[in-house]
Amino acid sequence: MDKLIWDKYFSLVEEIKQSIMDRCPFEEFSIGEFYMLRLLMDYEKRNVNVTTKLISEYLRISKPAVSQMLNALEKKELIERTINKEDRRQICITTTRKGRDLVIEQCKKHEELFSEIIKSVDEKDIETLFVILENVLKAVKEV
């Protein structure tokens, strides 16, 4: 029974994700790069100096994988690396205006699509979905 539930859940989530990606593709960067830029922007809002180590720990991926993605983003002029003024041994990573603008544009496209989707689903069903998701989140935290 558990495997059937997992398979159904995974299948639905993947199908939803793929349908959204088909309607709202990433043109300037990959989905992984998009999430990296969103993470950087989130830290920037909180005035946190972002390093490769911080990204690696947060995303739970290796430092070389982070460096490879950062190199690609830097080549596209979506991020820049600067020496930390407080600790010259650290390199801080920030988004460029171009990077922020592209992320904001992509988020806007996703929000518009999401609004269209929500309009076609009964409001009661959406409320039920949120209750279910909150219950699942609670269960995940307790396990």
Side-chain angles (χ1 to χ4, degrees):
M1 178 71 171
D2 289 346
K3 183 167 175 16
L4 291 175
I5 293 170
W6 170 254
D7 288 348
K8 182 71 171 176
Y9 162 79
F10 190 78
S11 174
L12 285 170
V13 168
E14 282 301 306
E15 193 171 340
I16 290 168
K17 185 173 82 174
Q18 197 57 50
S19 295
I20 290 171
M21 297 303 293
D22 289 346
R23 299 237 350 245
C24 209
F26 291 90
E27 296 167 4
E28 301 289 330
F29 38 65
S30 70
I31 190 168
E33 291 171 337
F34 170 75
Y35 286 120
M36 175 80 73
L37 289 167
R38 290 275 315 258
L39 174 67
L40 291 170
M41 289 172 64
D42 183 48
Y43 277 125
E44 287 169 11
K45 286 180 193 172
R46 296 184 278 152
N47 293 317
V48 174
N49 288 329
V50 181
T51 63
T52 303
K53 180 182 178 190
L54 179 69
I55 296 169
S56 174
E57 289 171 356
Y58 183 84
L59 296 177
R60 295 184 175 104
I61 57 176
S62 70
K63 287 181 190 176
V66 171
S67 291
Q68 186 176 13
M69 193 177 297
L70 291 174
N71 289 340
L73 290 169
E74 191 171 36
K75 193 173 188 177
K76 296 174 187 179
E77 300 178 343
L78 303 178
I79 64 151
E80 54 188 21
R81 301 178 207 202
T82 56
I83 296 172
N84 184 339
K85 292 173 186 159
E86 297 164 11
D87 181 354
R88 299 187 55 78
R89 296 171 296 171
Q90 284 188 341
I91 302 294
C92 294
I93 302 141
T94 56
T95 55
T96 61
R97 166 60 60 197
K98 179 181 176 183
R100 288 187 298 275
D101 288 347
L102 287 173
V103 169
I104 290 166
E105 180 184 322
Q106 191 70 36
C107 287
K108 186 177 178 184
K109 289 178 187 176
H110 279 98
E111 288 168 10
E112 290 169 359
L113 177 59
F114 190 72
S115 290
E116 284 180 48
I117 293 166
I118 293 301
K119 287 177 189 173
S120 66
V121 178
D122 184 75
E123 191 174 326
K124 243 182 161 177
D125 289 341
I126 292 171
E127 289 173 17
T128 301
L129 173 64
F130 287 140
V131 168
I132 293 167
L133 289 173
E134 287 169 357
N135 289 338
V136 170
L137 176 60
K138 184 179 174 183
V140 167
K141 287 180 175 183
E142 290 174 357
V143 171

